Amino acid sequence: MKRILVVLFLTAYIATNAQNIKSPSEFLGYELGTEFSRHHEVIAYYNYLAQTVSDRVSLKPYGKTNERRPLMLAYVSSAENMKNIETIRANHLKNTRGEGNTEVAIVWLSYNVHGNESVSTEASMQTIYELLTKKASYLKNTVVIIDPCINPDGRDRYVNWYNENRNTPNNVDPKSKEHHEGWLNGRANHYMFDLNRDWAWLTQVESQQRLKVYNQWLPHVHVDFHEQGVDSPYYFAPAAEPYHEVITNFQRDFQVTIGKNHAKYFDENGWFYFTKEVFDLFYPSYGDTYPLYNGAIGMTYEQGGSGRAGLGILTRSGDTLTLKDRIAHHFTTGISTVEVASGNAKKLNEEFKKFYTNKNFKYKSYVLNGDNDKIKALTQLLEQHEIEYGWSDATTVKGFDYGSGKTKSSKTKNESLVVSTDQPKGTLVKVLFEPNAKLSDSLTYDITAWSLPYAYGLEAIASETKVNSPKAGSISNTSNTIITENTYAYIGTWNGMNDARFLANLLKENIKVKFSKKPFSLEGQKYDRGSLIITKSDNRNKKDFAIKLSEISKKHAKQLTPTSTGFVDRGDDFGSSSVHLIKKNNIAVLTGKPTSTLQFGEVWHFFEQQLKYPVTVLESDYLNAEDLEEYDVLILPDGWYGSFMNNNIQKELKEWVKNGGKLIAMGGAIEGLEGKSGFSIKSKKTEKDSTLIKHLITYENSEREGIKDLITGAIFKTKVDHTNPLAFGYGDSYFTLKLGDDSFEYLKEGTAVYLEEETTPAAGFAGSEARKRIANTLVFGTENYGRGHVVYMVDNPLFRGFWENGKLFFANALFMVD
Ligand SMILES: [Zn+2]
């Protein structure tokens, strides 16, 4: 009886406290969980809270998506804290320099990074409401930052699709269409990038804008809310092995503290959950690892559901999983997270400070040299991460040499780029730069290597002693080339993406550009294959030629060398047949069913946001010979072409290539060109192991045994034939990121990049059987067929948009292979 009275009293108290704030259900006009809320409705609720409870909530935009949806953060705390929010933030950041003295916990909750894991945003509304009402006491010493939707374009793609296709009332039969999104699903963002793979590489506008604010706060706790398959129970911290070695004992232990608190509530309700399995903490570009490497307790929570679940679905066990259930679970862990943070605010602050000030890693400095544009691209990434860097005087550095894989002493050039771990972001430096991250367990489902010197194609030394870098400052972003109308020609180098962007811009402006298939020297200067030659004569009919060329070279900070003659000292003169005019190619990329959404998206994003050159997106249904005639280049992104590549399509493609088309086949598309079509590419046959079973594998160990066949992402040193136009701008070797063990034989001619017998990865994990399979195989190559060409890209240089040094291969495929 007494208990009932207490409950009644409490309910009355809550009711008064909450009476002026509408719950999500009251505001939206439907009970939360009975409809999917569209993004603008969600923002409207947060706006309403910011206006109604303005002393405790502030809502701030931090950017826009590709489709112009607003990106917003809600800051929630006690009225007292909100008055001093700037001071709280500034004091908290002092901790990163070891100077802070604060006991306020900062918790950042990120919802709906995967658009069709759509419960998250709904749960966020219930969570903020509860924090403002029943759970307001947690906010006395805690600031909660809520991102209601990291990926609004993906979420609305899902929600709009669902509303268009759903049954009324909704149908829990898993076969009904409302549970099958189809090819273009809502998981990724506009460009089909997975934003939960982009925290470190920042190729997407959502990540770029978010990280600016993230760095202004560097929370103690960060949660990324997700969903997994319909039949899975809930997953929360602690995570599975492998853990990256930089994750501190406190970060490990505190995940357990939080996990146990969640378990308490889940046990009370009789809900299932699991921990310590599947979701590991290694690859640095996730919403859990990236925060961990920046001092937070970074965690992923996974509800069963995702795009298949709709408003309700029958599970394998015969139960119905509803959106309301899913909301209840994410809501519970969100609140429980804030509760634990609030209860441990002092400890979180102490440990956060320790994280930022205790940096004692084996490698103290990374010293980098190479092409100026590549160095510049890397420093731009460092600036986004607020990683400090400097420039060294000429010096001798002993350390691990990335190119040879050996420890040696090297003389570095004046003004080498130096990035040291002795700085607040030192842990992140180690994770992103170290040659080979220590893998505590090879069972991981993502790439196992990403080291930035390899990704950017730079010479690098990892030094165990700190290298001084007395000079600060960014690389100048200007070109001082003076363009005049009477100059015979201008010559530009061809080394990387900046050069490709420059060329693309010239072609769009109808400026004619040549390139040399052979190296040459002129007026005492040597030029490599692929060097761009822009002559007065080729452009004599273009009136504003000099003005435009001047504008474009300035825009791309592209230095050009003027020359008064086309008579070269060595090599072929500018009038020679080995100096080709670059065609302003009309380019198409295949989309739809046979392609992978992510890999199609990488090509799409490459054209529109990186190269800035037009591309036509061809729906696979329309692929026939008539359509193709208009295009010079057709790109087949990675995918599953088995049933798509029937004889007719093969014949049509073959005919089109024969008549001068250029086909670029990536990853899984290559298999589709094998065999009957007449293209010469061939899968490598590997001898099967003897059928004699030499040792028994226990049932329990069968998964572990399977990793022998696995490459999930490792870096390999390959050989390069840089006389092949596909490899112009490269040296004798190239570090490729291999994502699988697809293996093709060398081409008769045109093998441009390839693996030899030795296939020990330079970094990352590769299973012993997989390594045998990829020995002596093709990485990139060209085949001439009739008047046209086929370009094979077994590895994907556009993977997640971050392998900067591979992108020139792709540009070569577009413009140099002719
Ligand atoms: Zn997810």
PDB file of all heavy atoms in Angstrom, residues 113-114 117 187 196 225-227 302, ligand 1:
ATOM      1  N   VAL A 113      22.853   6.896 -38.113  1.00  0.00           N
ATOM      2  CA  VAL A 113      23.928   7.051 -39.102  1.00  0.00           C
ATOM      3  C   VAL A 113      23.617   6.215 -40.340  1.00  0.00           C
ATOM      4  O   VAL A 113      23.932   6.589 -41.459  1.00  0.00           O
ATOM      5  CB  VAL A 113      25.299   6.696 -38.482  1.00  0.00           C
ATOM      6  CG1 VAL A 113      25.322   5.262 -37.974  1.00  0.00           C
ATOM      7  CG2 VAL A 113      26.436   6.915 -39.478  1.00  0.00           C
ATOM      8  N   HIS A 114      22.989   5.076 -40.121  1.00  0.00           N
ATOM      9  CA  HIS A 114      22.493   4.269 -41.242  1.00  0.00           C
ATOM     10  C   HIS A 114      21.002   4.578 -41.400  1.00  0.00           C
ATOM     11  O   HIS A 114      20.203   4.298 -40.506  1.00  0.00           O
ATOM     12  CB  HIS A 114      22.727   2.784 -40.986  1.00  0.00           C
ATOM     13  CG  HIS A 114      24.189   2.428 -41.045  1.00  0.00           C
ATOM     14  ND1 HIS A 114      24.768   1.502 -40.220  1.00  0.00           N
ATOM     15  CD2 HIS A 114      25.177   2.908 -41.847  1.00  0.00           C
ATOM     16  CE1 HIS A 114      26.066   1.419 -40.506  1.00  0.00           C
ATOM     17  NE2 HIS A 114      26.338   2.260 -41.491  1.00  0.00           N
ATOM     18  N   GLU A 117      18.179   2.178 -40.600  1.00  0.00           N
ATOM     19  CA  GLU A 117      18.116   1.659 -39.225  1.00  0.00           C
ATOM     20  C   GLU A 117      17.318   2.689 -38.444  1.00  0.00           C
ATOM     21  O   GLU A 117      17.807   3.416 -37.593  1.00  0.00           O
ATOM     22  CB  GLU A 117      19.544   1.445 -38.703  1.00  0.00           C
ATOM     23  CG  GLU A 117      20.256   0.388 -39.548  1.00  0.00           C
ATOM     24  CD  GLU A 117      21.740   0.216 -39.256  1.00  0.00           C
ATOM     25  OE1 GLU A 117      22.223   0.802 -38.273  1.00  0.00           O
ATOM     26  OE2 GLU A 117      22.397  -0.502 -40.011  1.00  0.00           O
ATOM     27  N   ARG A 187      20.307   2.781 -46.270  1.00  0.00           N
ATOM     28  CA  ARG A 187      21.412   2.697 -45.320  1.00  0.00           C
ATOM     29  C   ARG A 187      22.428   3.847 -45.487  1.00  0.00           C
ATOM     30  O   ARG A 187      22.806   4.513 -44.547  1.00  0.00           O
ATOM     31  CB  ARG A 187      22.131   1.359 -45.513  1.00  0.00           C
ATOM     32  CG  ARG A 187      23.346   1.175 -44.619  1.00  0.00           C
ATOM     33  CD  ARG A 187      24.020  -0.159 -44.929  1.00  0.00           C
ATOM     34  NE  ARG A 187      25.298  -0.301 -44.268  1.00  0.00           N
ATOM     35  CZ  ARG A 187      25.477  -0.862 -43.074  1.00  0.00           C
ATOM     36  NH1 ARG A 187      24.451  -1.313 -42.406  1.00  0.00           N
ATOM     37  NH2 ARG A 187      26.682  -0.962 -42.547  1.00  0.00           N
ATOM     38  N   ASN A 196      29.229   5.389 -41.455  1.00  0.00           N
ATOM     39  CA  ASN A 196      29.905   4.735 -40.331  1.00  0.00           C
ATOM     40  C   ASN A 196      31.214   4.075 -40.767  1.00  0.00           C
ATOM     41  O   ASN A 196      31.738   3.199 -40.103  1.00  0.00           O
ATOM     42  CB  ASN A 196      28.992   3.692 -39.672  1.00  0.00           C
ATOM     43  CG  ASN A 196      29.568   3.193 -38.355  1.00  0.00           C
ATOM     44  OD1 ASN A 196      30.210   3.947 -37.626  1.00  0.00           O
ATOM     45  ND2 ASN A 196      29.356   1.909 -38.045  1.00  0.00           N
ATOM     46  N   PHE A 225      24.021   4.753 -32.485  1.00  0.00           N
ATOM     47  CA  PHE A 225      22.865   3.848 -32.432  1.00  0.00           C
ATOM     48  C   PHE A 225      22.611   3.219 -33.807  1.00  0.00           C
ATOM     49  O   PHE A 225      22.503   3.933 -34.804  1.00  0.00           O
ATOM     50  CB  PHE A 225      21.615   4.603 -31.975  1.00  0.00           C
ATOM     51  CG  PHE A 225      21.652   4.976 -30.520  1.00  0.00           C
ATOM     52  CD1 PHE A 225      22.262   6.150 -30.101  1.00  0.00           C
ATOM     53  CD2 PHE A 225      21.089   4.135 -29.560  1.00  0.00           C
ATOM     54  CE1 PHE A 225      22.291   6.497 -28.757  1.00  0.00           C
ATOM     55  CE2 PHE A 225      21.119   4.480 -28.209  1.00  0.00           C
ATOM     56  CZ  PHE A 225      21.724   5.659 -27.807  1.00  0.00           C
ATOM     57  N   HIS A 226      22.494   1.899 -33.798  1.00  0.00           N
ATOM     58  CA  HIS A 226      22.330   1.141 -35.055  1.00  0.00           C
ATOM     59  C   HIS A 226      21.205   0.126 -34.932  1.00  0.00           C
ATOM     60  O   HIS A 226      20.632  -0.051 -33.875  1.00  0.00           O
ATOM     61  CB  HIS A 226      23.612   0.351 -35.353  1.00  0.00           C
ATOM     62  CG  HIS A 226      24.746   1.182 -35.796  1.00  0.00           C
ATOM     63  ND1 HIS A 226      25.099   1.302 -37.113  1.00  0.00           N
ATOM     64  CD2 HIS A 226      25.627   1.942 -35.101  1.00  0.00           C
ATOM     65  CE1 HIS A 226      26.148   2.093 -37.204  1.00  0.00           C
ATOM     66  NE2 HIS A 226      26.499   2.509 -36.003  1.00  0.00           N
ATOM     67  N   GLU A 227      21.018  -0.573 -36.068  1.00  0.00           N
ATOM     68  CA  GLU A 227      20.176  -1.764 -36.041  1.00  0.00           C
ATOM     69  C   GLU A 227      20.838  -2.874 -36.836  1.00  0.00           C
ATOM     70  O   GLU A 227      21.595  -2.627 -37.768  1.00  0.00           O
ATOM     71  CB  GLU A 227      18.791  -1.467 -36.632  1.00  0.00           C
ATOM     72  CG  GLU A 227      17.909  -0.701 -35.670  1.00  0.00           C
ATOM     73  CD  GLU A 227      16.481  -0.620 -36.178  1.00  0.00           C
ATOM     74  OE1 GLU A 227      16.173   0.330 -36.927  1.00  0.00           O
ATOM     75  OE2 GLU A 227      15.697  -1.511 -35.841  1.00  0.00           O
ATOM     76  N   GLU A 302      23.243  -1.935 -31.025  1.00  0.00           N
ATOM     77  CA  GLU A 302      22.534  -2.491 -32.173  1.00  0.00           C
ATOM     78  C   GLU A 302      21.213  -3.098 -31.738  1.00  0.00           C
ATOM     79  O   GLU A 302      21.189  -4.053 -30.961  1.00  0.00           O
ATOM     80  CB  GLU A 302      23.373  -3.601 -32.839  1.00  0.00           C
ATOM     81  CG  GLU A 302      24.720  -3.145 -33.383  1.00  0.00           C
ATOM     82  CD  GLU A 302      24.671  -2.757 -34.844  1.00  0.00           C
ATOM     83  OE1 GLU A 302      23.613  -2.942 -35.482  1.00  0.00           O
ATOM     84  OE2 GLU A 302      25.703  -2.283 -35.350  1.00  0.00           O
TER      85      GLU A 302
HETATM   86 ZN    ZN B   1      24.221   0.363 -38.668  1.00  0.00          ZN
END
